[in-house]
Amino acid sequence: MIPRTCATVQPANWQNLLRQSRLSLRELLDALDLPLRPEYLANLPDQDFSLRVPPAFLAQMQRSNPDDPLLRQVLPLAQELYPASGFSMDPVGDRLAQKSPGLLHKYHGRVLLTLTGACAIHCRYCFRQHFPYADANPTHSAWQQTLDYLRADTSISEIILSGGDPLTLADTRLATITSDLATIPHLRRLRIHSRLPVVLPERITGELLHWLTATRLQPVLVIHANHANEIGPAATTALKQLRDHGVTLLNQSVLLAGVNDSVETLLQLSETLFQQQVLPYYLHMLDTVAGAAHFAVSDTRALQIMEQLRKQLPGYLLPRLVREQAGMPYKTPLL
């Protein structure tokens, strides 16, 4: 069973790097030889969603380029404070889908656990940036309730570990969680959604690979890369380690204005992913979370991009363009 407090582990290199990801705006701009501009948001109103950029992700950014597509994903702008019609604190209905603390059951056959609010990187378009993680932890005191729910519903075959980012948790704790889940006979797959193999690739250690592949559950890891420039040498090594241990690798992206809203950018992303034997899975339309309206791409533009991608990519390299809508029993494809 999961203890009520986090397991204590010896500090590891990835944990030190995780701590280094918390930066001030001035430190980020100085590292990239960029000046402070009036449109940048220097004082974030919500310190729970402060600036976080891991060293490996920062190393992939272009110096002296204020329009670098990786920088744009993490750079806080004053536009975040502008009101936007249709943008809300819970755009995908996560709170309504909670069956017990941190257990989201939206779709048939699979359940998602928000294990933590912690993440190595704070993407300014994140749809869970306002999620009440303090009241929605499926482990600790709610763990038995979580397991009981999963055991009672034999239609559930896949468990999804999410957050935040579940891989920010200690290996000892994750090993205990996965071992407990593996005792539920109708569960077949363990799916993990994580940005860390890309933005903090040092996280892929021998200890992680052991617990991830030690149970009978088939491991699937869905990484999150929006641009080919995110896949640097360290990420390449991390993805190879996962692959070599039999982990199925998929990628999901978000279509973001000024980041990847072009045919050439998405072509290169699919090709780069496949070089790492990662299959493009979803290309998400932006979730309409408050503060992210400046990343929005119109449906018309998105469909035009997809039409050109279909003409130039084989089907297995074409991600599915989808939108998540509250209350729907599946992600809605844009056709």
Side-chain angles (χ1 to χ4, degrees):
M1 294 298 171
I2 298 297
R4 291 174 181 264
T5 56
C6 295
T8 301
V9 296
Q10 293 297 317
N13 185 48
W14 71 267
Q15 292 168 311
N16 293 331
L17 293 170
L18 180 62
R19 284 189 283 271
Q20 292 173 30
S21 69
R22 195 178 191 101
L23 302 174
S24 68
L25 180 60
R26 171 50 66 190
E27 288 171 329
L28 174 64
L29 296 176
D30 285 349
L32 298 173
D33 299 321
L34 289 171
L36 182 66
R37 293 186 173 188
E39 63 266 29
Y40 299 161
L41 190 59
N43 298 309
L44 297 177
D46 183 359
Q47 288 305 306
D48 289 336
F49 202 64
S50 57
L51 186 61
R52 293 192 75 101
V53 186
F57 195 76
L58 180 60
Q60 293 302 116
M61 294 181 188
Q62 301 164 359
R63 269 50 186 173
S64 304
N65 180 8
D67 297 318
D68 174 73
L70 277 59
L71 173 62
R72 284 185 60 83
Q73 296 179 53
V74 300
L75 183 64
L77 300 176
Q79 289 170 292
E80 294 182 17
L81 304 181
Y82 299 169
S85 177
F87 284 73
S88 69
M89 304 287 274
D90 184 21
V92 299
D94 275 352
R95 298 179 194 187
L96 292 175
Q98 282 197 94
K99 304 304 179 183
S100 65
L103 187 153
L104 279 58
H105 196 173
K106 292 184 181 182
Y107 306 134
H108 177 77
R110 50 210 184 275
V111 163
L112 183 145
L113 304 180
T114 56
L115 294 184
T116 176
C119 194
I121 187 168
H122 283 171
C123 302
R124 307 314 299 177
Y125 54 86
C126 179
F127 72 99
R128 286 209 182 107
Q129 59 183 280
H130 307 295
F131 189 73
Y133 289 104
D135 302 321
N137 194 315
T139 59
H140 298 320
S141 60
W143 187 231
Q144 188 58 54
Q145 183 181 355
T146 300
L147 294 174
D148 290 345
Y149 182 93
L150 296 174
R151 286 195 181 98
D153 189 341
T154 57
S155 72
I156 300 170
S157 60
E158 181 171 79
I159 193 76
I160 303 168
L161 306 186
S162 185
D165 197 306
L167 296 189
T168 59
L169 298 177
D171 287 312
T172 49
R173 187 171 173 206
L174 289 166
T176 304
I177 290 171
T178 54
S179 294
D180 285 351
L181 293 171
T183 65
I184 301 174
H186 50 268
L187 290 183
R188 294 197 207 93
R189 287 180 300 279
L190 174 70
R191 193 202 314 177
I192 295 176
H193 286 193
S194 178
R195 196 101 154 91
L196 265 65
V198 173
V199 304
L200 190 71
E202 297 85 355
R203 177 64 182 98
I204 309 306
T205 62
E207 291 82 359
L208 180 147
L209 294 167
H210 175 73
W211 65 256
L212 183 56
T213 59
T215 73
R216 62 173 185 80
L217 299 174
Q218 184 175 2
V220 179
L221 203 156
V222 182
I223 66 169
H224 177 180
N226 296 315
H227 196 284
N229 290 359
E230 298 178 32
I231 312 294
T236 296
T237 299
L239 294 172
K240 182 178 186 303
Q241 290 176 312
L242 289 160
R243 238 177 22 243
D244 289 348
H245 282 75
V247 180
T248 298
L249 296 175
L250 307 172
N251 181 68
Q252 59 181 351
S253 306
V254 182
L255 187 60
L256 301 167
V259 174
N260 60 6
D261 57 332
S262 75
V263 174
E264 285 305 316
T265 299
L266 291 174
L267 280 173
Q268 186 58 49
L269 175 59
S270 283
E271 293 288 358
T272 299
L273 288 168
F274 194 62
Q275 288 173 5
Q276 311 304 324
Q277 298 179 40
V278 180
L279 282 178
Y281 176 37
Y282 280 139
L283 176 60
H284 290 269
M285 295 298 291
L286 179 72
D287 293 315
T288 53
V289 65
H294 54 291
F295 286 110
V297 177
S298 71
D299 288 9
T300 299
R301 175 61 181 152
L303 290 169
Q304 289 171 344
I305 291 172
M306 288 303 296
E307 179 64 19
Q308 292 303 312
L309 290 177
R310 284 190 190 92
K311 293 177 180 178
Q312 300 184 57
L313 284 173
Y316 58 87
L317 291 188
L318 190 71
R320 283 166 279 183
L321 180 66
V322 296
R323 171 179 284 119
E324 186 164 0
Q325 295 177 293
M328 290 292 289
Y330 50 80
K331 290 180 172 62
T332 306
L334 267 71
L335 304 174

